[in-house]
Short mmCIF file of all heavy atoms in Angstrom, two decimals:
data_model
loop_
_atom_site.label_atom_id
_atom_site.label_comp_id
_atom_site.label_asym_id
_atom_site.label_seq_id
_atom_site.Cartn_x
_atom_site.Cartn_y
_atom_site.Cartn_z
N ALA A 255 -1.33 19.47 -4.72
CA ALA A 255 -1.74 20.87 -4.59
C ALA A 255 -3.15 20.98 -4.00
O ALA A 255 -3.38 21.76 -3.07
CB ALA A 255 -1.70 21.54 -5.96
N LEU A 256 -4.05 20.17 -4.51
CA LEU A 256 -5.45 20.25 -4.05
C LEU A 256 -5.57 19.94 -2.56
O LEU A 256 -6.25 20.63 -1.80
CB LEU A 256 -6.33 19.29 -4.86
CG LEU A 256 -6.49 19.65 -6.33
CD1 LEU A 256 -7.17 18.50 -7.09
CD2 LEU A 256 -7.30 20.94 -6.49
N ARG A 257 -4.89 18.88 -2.13
CA ARG A 257 -5.02 18.50 -0.71
C ARG A 257 -4.39 19.58 0.20
O ARG A 257 -4.87 19.84 1.30
CB ARG A 257 -4.53 17.08 -0.43
CG ARG A 257 -3.12 16.78 -0.74
CD ARG A 257 -2.87 15.26 -0.86
NE ARG A 257 -3.14 14.48 0.34
CZ ARG A 257 -2.37 14.45 1.41
NH1 ARG A 257 -1.28 15.19 1.46
NH2 ARG A 257 -2.69 13.71 2.45
N ASN A 258 -3.36 20.27 -0.30
CA ASN A 258 -2.78 21.35 0.52
C ASN A 258 -3.66 22.60 0.55
O ASN A 258 -3.72 23.28 1.58
CB ASN A 258 -1.35 21.67 0.04
CG ASN A 258 -0.34 20.76 0.72
OD1 ASN A 258 0.08 20.99 1.85
ND2 ASN A 258 -0.02 19.65 0.07
N ILE A 259 -4.35 22.86 -0.55
CA ILE A 259 -5.32 23.99 -0.53
C ILE A 259 -6.39 23.69 0.52
O ILE A 259 -6.73 24.52 1.36
CB ILE A 259 -5.97 24.21 -1.91
CG1 ILE A 259 -4.93 24.65 -2.94
CG2 ILE A 259 -7.10 25.23 -1.81
CD1 ILE A 259 -5.47 24.79 -4.37
N LEU A 260 -6.89 22.47 0.48
CA LEU A 260 -7.96 22.09 1.43
C LEU A 260 -7.45 22.14 2.87
O LEU A 260 -8.13 22.61 3.78
CB LEU A 260 -8.50 20.69 1.09
CG LEU A 260 -9.23 20.60 -0.27
CD1 LEU A 260 -9.47 19.14 -0.66
CD2 LEU A 260 -10.55 21.37 -0.22
N TYR A 261 -6.22 21.66 3.07
CA TYR A 261 -5.63 21.67 4.42
C TYR A 261 -5.52 23.11 4.95
O TYR A 261 -5.87 23.38 6.10
CB TYR A 261 -4.24 21.03 4.34
CG TYR A 261 -3.44 21.07 5.62
CD1 TYR A 261 -3.83 20.30 6.73
CD2 TYR A 261 -2.28 21.83 5.72
CE1 TYR A 261 -3.08 20.31 7.90
CE2 TYR A 261 -1.53 21.83 6.90
CZ TYR A 261 -1.94 21.07 7.98
OH TYR A 261 -1.21 21.07 9.14
N ASN A 262 -5.10 24.02 4.06
CA ASN A 262 -4.97 25.42 4.48
C ASN A 262 -6.31 26.04 4.83
O ASN A 262 -6.39 27.08 5.46
CB ASN A 262 -4.27 26.24 3.39
CG ASN A 262 -2.81 25.82 3.25
OD1 ASN A 262 -2.24 25.23 4.18
ND2 ASN A 262 -2.22 26.08 2.09
N LYS A 263 -7.39 25.40 4.39
CA LYS A 263 -8.73 25.92 4.72
C LYS A 263 -9.34 25.16 5.90
O LYS A 263 -10.56 25.18 6.09
CB LYS A 263 -9.65 25.74 3.51
CG LYS A 263 -9.21 26.54 2.33
CD LYS A 263 -10.11 26.26 1.18
CE LYS A 263 -10.54 27.61 0.64
NZ LYS A 263 -11.33 27.58 -0.51
N GLY A 264 -8.53 24.42 6.61
CA GLY A 264 -9.02 23.74 7.82
C GLY A 264 -9.47 22.31 7.61
O GLY A 264 -9.95 21.65 8.54
N LYS A 265 -9.33 21.80 6.39
CA LYS A 265 -9.71 20.39 6.15
C LYS A 265 -8.50 19.53 6.52
O LYS A 265 -7.67 19.20 5.68
CB LYS A 265 -10.10 20.19 4.68
CG LYS A 265 -11.24 21.08 4.23
CD LYS A 265 -12.55 20.66 4.85
CE LYS A 265 -13.72 21.47 4.32
NZ LYS A 265 -14.97 21.23 5.05
N SER A 266 -8.42 19.17 7.77
CA SER A 266 -7.19 18.54 8.27
C SER A 266 -7.25 17.01 8.29
O SER A 266 -6.31 16.35 8.71
CB SER A 266 -6.88 19.06 9.67
OG SER A 266 -8.00 18.81 10.50
N THR A 267 -8.38 16.44 7.86
CA THR A 267 -8.48 14.97 7.76
C THR A 267 -8.88 14.60 6.34
O THR A 267 -9.85 15.15 5.81
CB THR A 267 -9.54 14.41 8.74
OG1 THR A 267 -9.12 14.67 10.07
CG2 THR A 267 -9.74 12.91 8.56
N GLU A 268 -8.12 13.69 5.76
CA GLU A 268 -8.50 13.17 4.43
C GLU A 268 -8.99 11.74 4.61
O GLU A 268 -8.26 10.90 5.16
CB GLU A 268 -7.28 13.19 3.49
CG GLU A 268 -7.59 12.60 2.11
CD GLU A 268 -6.40 12.70 1.15
OE1 GLU A 268 -5.28 13.00 1.61
OE2 GLU A 268 -6.59 12.48 -0.06
N ILE A 269 -10.20 11.49 4.16
CA ILE A 269 -10.68 10.11 4.21
C ILE A 269 -10.58 9.52 2.81
O ILE A 269 -11.24 10.01 1.88
CB ILE A 269 -12.14 10.01 4.71
CG1 ILE A 269 -12.30 10.76 6.02
CG2 ILE A 269 -12.55 8.55 4.89
CD1 ILE A 269 -13.70 10.68 6.62
N MET A 270 -9.73 8.52 2.66
CA MET A 270 -9.63 7.82 1.39
C MET A 270 -10.72 6.76 1.41
O MET A 270 -10.81 5.98 2.36
CB MET A 270 -8.25 7.18 1.28
CG MET A 270 -7.97 6.44 0.00
SD MET A 270 -7.79 7.49 -1.44
CE MET A 270 -6.25 8.32 -1.16
N VAL A 271 -11.57 6.75 0.38
CA VAL A 271 -12.65 5.77 0.38
C VAL A 271 -12.62 4.96 -0.90
O VAL A 271 -12.14 5.42 -1.93
CB VAL A 271 -14.04 6.45 0.53
CG1 VAL A 271 -14.09 7.34 1.76
CG2 VAL A 271 -14.43 7.25 -0.71
N SER A 272 -13.12 3.74 -0.80
CA SER A 272 -13.26 2.91 -1.98
C SER A 272 -14.51 2.06 -1.83
O SER A 272 -14.92 1.72 -0.72
CB SER A 272 -12.04 2.02 -2.13
OG SER A 272 -12.31 1.05 -3.12
N PHE A 273 -15.08 1.74 -2.95
CA PHE A 273 -16.27 0.88 -2.97
C PHE A 273 -15.89 -0.55 -3.34
O PHE A 273 -16.75 -1.37 -3.62
CB PHE A 273 -17.31 1.44 -3.96
CG PHE A 273 -17.98 2.69 -3.49
CD1 PHE A 273 -17.29 3.89 -3.39
CD2 PHE A 273 -19.32 2.69 -3.12
CE1 PHE A 273 -17.90 5.05 -2.95
CE2 PHE A 273 -19.95 3.84 -2.67
CZ PHE A 273 -19.24 5.03 -2.59
N GLU A 274 -14.59 -0.83 -3.38
CA GLU A 274 -14.10 -2.17 -3.71
C GLU A 274 -13.21 -2.67 -2.56
O GLU A 274 -12.14 -2.11 -2.32
CB GLU A 274 -13.27 -2.12 -5.00
CG GLU A 274 -14.06 -1.86 -6.26
CD GLU A 274 -15.02 -3.00 -6.64
OE1 GLU A 274 -14.79 -4.15 -6.22
OE2 GLU A 274 -16.00 -2.71 -7.35
N PRO A 275 -13.61 -3.74 -1.89
CA PRO A 275 -12.81 -4.26 -0.77
C PRO A 275 -11.38 -4.63 -1.17
O PRO A 275 -10.49 -4.65 -0.32
CB PRO A 275 -13.58 -5.49 -0.30
CG PRO A 275 -14.94 -5.35 -0.85
CD PRO A 275 -14.87 -4.48 -2.06
N ARG A 276 -11.14 -4.87 -2.47
CA ARG A 276 -9.77 -5.22 -2.88
C ARG A 276 -8.82 -4.04 -2.68
O ARG A 276 -7.62 -4.18 -2.85
CB ARG A 276 -9.73 -5.74 -4.31
CG ARG A 276 -10.06 -4.74 -5.39
CD ARG A 276 -9.71 -5.29 -6.79
NE ARG A 276 -10.55 -6.38 -7.25
CZ ARG A 276 -10.11 -7.63 -7.42
NH1 ARG A 276 -8.86 -7.92 -7.16
NH2 ARG A 276 -10.93 -8.57 -7.85
#
Side-chain angles (χ1 to χ4, degrees):
L256 293 170
R257 60 199 299 285
N258 274 277
I259 295 175
L260 294 168
Y261 176 68
N262 292 339
K263 296 177 130 176
K265 302 289 185 189
S266 56
T267 296
E268 177 176 13
I269 308 183
M270 182 70 70
V271 305
S272 168
F273 288 69
E274 290 293 337
R276 67 168 69 248

